[in-house]
């Protein structure tokens, strides 16, 4: 419900009693009808003339695009007014420009001032003269029509592609009658995004709704990157990634490692994995789900841990084929895009060949932490022993040749 301000309907002069010569006293009497029928009266004195003003019950709606209420934390609410909030006027037609970066990928947003970006986006702002991709966002009352061949027809998403290979998307939310945005690629490095004015609050409130406007997974499929659904922890200077379907307990296990081993959670829901040809790194992502933990941090990947719930805690290392199968469902991919899908699968194969992947069947106790820790230490010791044996073998061959 939009914020409403009552309008002054009448201003009546009130007869004045004795006043001092050359001095005028003003009494302003304000009657405000509040929710529940309560009435407040407020009187103020000012040096002018005596006036009584009455505020009637008739309500005047202030356009939601013109006035918003902002909390100190950055969240927005148009219905709440209190001492911790401030009124900010947002002007239509004024455009802003910001550049963001996650991993090595940078993108520029050109957007109207009345569009409020999710707070976590600010953690990824960078100062750069150029960007890899540019989005121009426009707020509209009616969405334009999508163009091209229909590739995907879901309740919350319709994907179209034209003869030049450029995509358009009608983006919606399950349960809503109509889409809230249209994404349209106009060139290889530019897309237009049209957002329905009726859904501005949802775009600002929900990070995943906002990020859906940008189709970042499509941009990143052109690079050596994978978006993994996981809890991203920093442990001993490396990234430990807990991955599993929603509801399995990624955030819970991350919390146990924070509590018992002093690790630090970087993101509670996703990480951008990037390969530079030699090693894999984990990067922050501007969506963190319900965990509300989101940082922009880059670390080398130490291990990935696939989770399942169990009464008995067990941990073991997965073979590459097993790891590939387990991780496949947790990677964000456009499965209708064959070319991008092939690239993602190739990268996933490289990932499981380079990074150790484990399975942890666990409960929610400290014993789960100890079980995984013991497996990591044992596996590390075996790798070190194997490396020593390999080094000795190489030295012996060199001595024989000499």
């Amino acid at each position: 419900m939009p914020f409403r301000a009552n309008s002054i309907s009448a201003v009546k002069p009130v007869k004045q009693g004795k006043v001092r010569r050359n001095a005028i006293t003003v009494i302003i009497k304000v009657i405000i009808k509040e929710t529940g029928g309560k009435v407040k009266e407020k009187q103020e004195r000012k040096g002018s003339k005596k006036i009584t003003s009455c505020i009637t019950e008739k309500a005047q709606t202030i356009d939601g695009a013109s006035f918003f209420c902002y909390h100190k934390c950055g969240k927005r609410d148009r219905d709440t007014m209190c001492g911790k909030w401030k009124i900010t006027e947002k002007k239509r037609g004024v455009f802003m420009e910001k550049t963001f970066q996650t991993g090595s990928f940078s993108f520029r947003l050109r957007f109207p001032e009345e569009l409020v970006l999710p707070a976590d986006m600010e953690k990824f702002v960078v100062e750069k003269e150029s960007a890899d991709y540019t989005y121009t966002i426009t707020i509209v009352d009616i969405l334009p029509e999508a163009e091209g061949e229909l590739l995907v027809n879901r309740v919350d998403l319709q994907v179209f592609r034209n003869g030049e290979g450029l995509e358009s998307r009608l983006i919606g939310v399950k349960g809503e009658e109509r889409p809230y945005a249209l994404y349209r690629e106009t060139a290889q490095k530019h897309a237009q995004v049209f957002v329905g004015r009726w859904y501005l609050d949802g775009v600002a409130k929900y990070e995943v709704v906002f990020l859906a406007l940008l189709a970042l997974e499509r941009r990143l499929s052109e690079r050596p990157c994978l978006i993994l659904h996981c809890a991203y922890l920093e442990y001993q200077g490396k990234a430990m990634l807990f991955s599993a379907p929603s509801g399995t307990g990624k955030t819970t296990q991350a919390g146990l490692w924070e509590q018992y081993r002093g690790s630090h959670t970087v993101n509670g829901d996703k990480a951008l994995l990037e390969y530079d040809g030699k090693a894999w790194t984990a990067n922050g992502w501007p969506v963190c789900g319900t965990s509300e933990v989101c940082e922009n941090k880059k670390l080398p990947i130490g291990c990935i841990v696939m989770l399942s719930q169990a009464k008995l805690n067990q941990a073991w290392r997965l073979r590459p084929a097993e790891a590939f199968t387990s991780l496949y469902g947790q990677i964000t991919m456009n499965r209708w895009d064959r070319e991008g899908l092939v690239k993602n699968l190739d990268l996933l194969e490289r990932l499981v060949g380079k990074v150790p992947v484990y399975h942890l069947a666990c409960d929610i106790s400290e014993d789960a932490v100890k079980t995984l820790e013991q497996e990591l230490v044992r596996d590390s010791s075996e790798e070190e022993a194997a490396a020593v044996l390999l080094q000795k073998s190489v030295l012996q061959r060199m001595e024989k040749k000499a």
Side-chain angles (χ1 to χ4, degrees), residues 145-162:
E145 292 185 1
E147 300 173 353
E149 178 190 358
L150 179 63
L151 300 178
V152 178
N153 189 12
R154 299 197 322 233
V155 175
D156 58 338
L157 178 67
Q158 289 183 310
V159 180
F160 303 80
R161 182 177 296 160
N162 66 17

Side-chain angles (χ1 to χ4, degrees), residues 329-348:
Q330 304 308 314
I331 301 291
T332 302
M333 303 181 191
N334 291 334
R335 288 170 173 79
W336 63 84
D337 180 1
R338 290 186 179 182
E339 184 178 346
L341 181 60
V342 169
K343 290 180 180 179
N344 283 331
L345 294 179
D346 180 61
L347 279 171
L348 181 55

Side-chain angles (χ1 to χ4, degrees), residues 22-38:
N22 299 328
I24 299 175
T25 302
V26 172
I27 299 176
I28 300 176
K29 186 177 183 181
V30 180
I31 303 174
I32 304 174
K33 184 158 186 176
E34 298 186 316
T35 304
K38 296 181 181 179

Side-chain angles (χ1 to χ4, degrees), residues 115 249 255 314:
L115 176 65
Q314 292 180 299

